[in-house]
Amino acid sequence: MIFSNSYIICATPRSGSTLLCDLLTDTQVAGCPDSFFRREDFLEWASYFDVSVTNWGNKQEFDQSYLTAVLQEGTGGTSIFGMRLMWESLGELSKRLASFHPGLPNDNARFQAVFGSPRYVHLTRENKVAQAVSRLKAEQSGLWHLGADGTERERLKFGQAPVYDAGSLAKIMMLVVLQKLSQGLKNKMRRGRTGLYNKKLNLSASPMRRFPIIL
């Protein structure tokens, strides 16, 4: 299955990507984007997709079944495929796609072979300090997302109450900045070294939060 219309949301944690994914899904015409290739979530997604983990030892067979399920889930019953891809997951996804298409020259060719000719949505949060604080609070408490009604939507653990930690904040800030700088590789990619970001859209989370109705 190759899509004529697809997009990949490129983001970092606590940048507003969950809100964007929700808004796109709620349109019921723009696919159902999610983080399908986050290493820590593979087994959970495999269970949801009913992809047998007994094939885990046969990486090629597992990846093929998993990818087929991802392509179906990411469309959400529409003609458009959507996916969220955090920067730290790019290497994992690239490695898996390379196993499917070892003869293709670069990531751009492999992404097009699997996802069609995707548009890349680069989502950023302008206030990097607020992003770092938000991430630290989530890591400390284990609570990552709340529903619109205030109920818990995603909790990874029952942790401590958030406290100020200058050292941890500095490390997260450095990580956020390094990930942003790493995305500067898109310039090299456009020059043909890997060619990923030839069709891209830059989007800031701030106006999206103020005026979500525009999406």
Side-chain angles (χ1 to χ4, degrees):
M1 182 186 300
I2 297 179
F3 299 96
S4 57
N5 293 304
S6 61
Y7 61 89
I8 297 176
I9 300 169
C10 306
T12 54
R14 315 307 285 178
S15 61
S17 62
T18 297
L19 173 61
L20 178 57
C21 287
D22 287 347
L23 292 171
L24 290 166
T25 299
D26 286 347
T27 67
Q28 299 183 12
V29 296
C32 187
D34 211 320
S35 296
F36 302 117
F37 290 95
R38 183 173 178 267
R39 176 185 287 272
E40 296 84 349
D41 296 337
F42 269 121
L43 291 180
E44 183 177 348
W45 275 116
S47 176
Y48 176 77
F49 293 149
D50 197 25
V51 173
S52 175
V53 294
T54 59
N55 293 336
W56 191 266
N58 187 335
K59 187 174 181 297
Q60 184 78 12
E61 183 177 348
F62 175 86
D63 282 358
Q64 183 60 67
S65 299
Y66 188 89
L67 179 59
T68 299
V70 164
L71 295 176
Q72 180 176 350
E73 180 70 17
T75 62
T78 72
S79 61
I80 298 175
F81 172 79
M83 181 175 72
R84 173 173 56 184
L85 183 62
M86 296 297 184
W87 181 254
E88 55 264 34
S89 300
L90 176 59
E92 179 72 22
L93 177 56
S94 296
K95 181 173 61 176
R96 290 174 179 270
L97 296 187
S99 70
F100 289 125
H101 301 284
L104 295 180
N106 53 43
D107 283 337
N108 183 45
R110 288 185 283 269
F111 270 63
Q112 290 192 29
V114 175
F115 303 114
S117 184
R119 272 62 174 175
Y120 293 89
V121 180
H122 291 272
L123 179 64
T124 61
R125 185 168 177 173
E126 294 175 354
N127 190 331
K128 298 295 188 286
V129 174
Q131 182 177 356
V133 170
S134 177
R135 181 165 180 174
L136 178 60
K137 289 172 64 177
E139 290 180 350
Q140 289 180 338
S141 67
L143 178 59
W144 283 80
H145 295 107
L146 290 172
D149 59 356
T151 58
E152 292 188 5
R153 173 175 171 178
E154 182 181 12
R155 177 182 285 278
L156 301 184
K157 66 177 182 179
F158 287 93
Q160 67 184 63
V163 295
Y164 178 72
D165 184 335
S168 294
L169 276 176
K171 290 179 181 178
I172 293 175
M173 274 294 296
M174 180 64 69
L175 180 62
V176 169
V177 172
L178 287 176
Q179 288 175 332
K180 180 64 177 177
L181 291 174
S182 295
Q183 290 182 355
L185 288 173
K186 64 189 178 185
N187 296 321
K188 294 181 180 179
M189 293 174 177
R190 285 204 303 272
R191 289 197 294 268
R193 293 185 63 178
T194 56
L196 264 182
Y197 300 105
N198 52 345
K199 297 180 179 179
K200 68 184 183 70
L201 168 68
N202 293 319
L203 180 63
S204 170
S206 299
M208 182 177 66
R209 284 193 170 89
R210 290 196 298 269
F211 306 107
I213 194 65
I214 64 174
L215 294 175

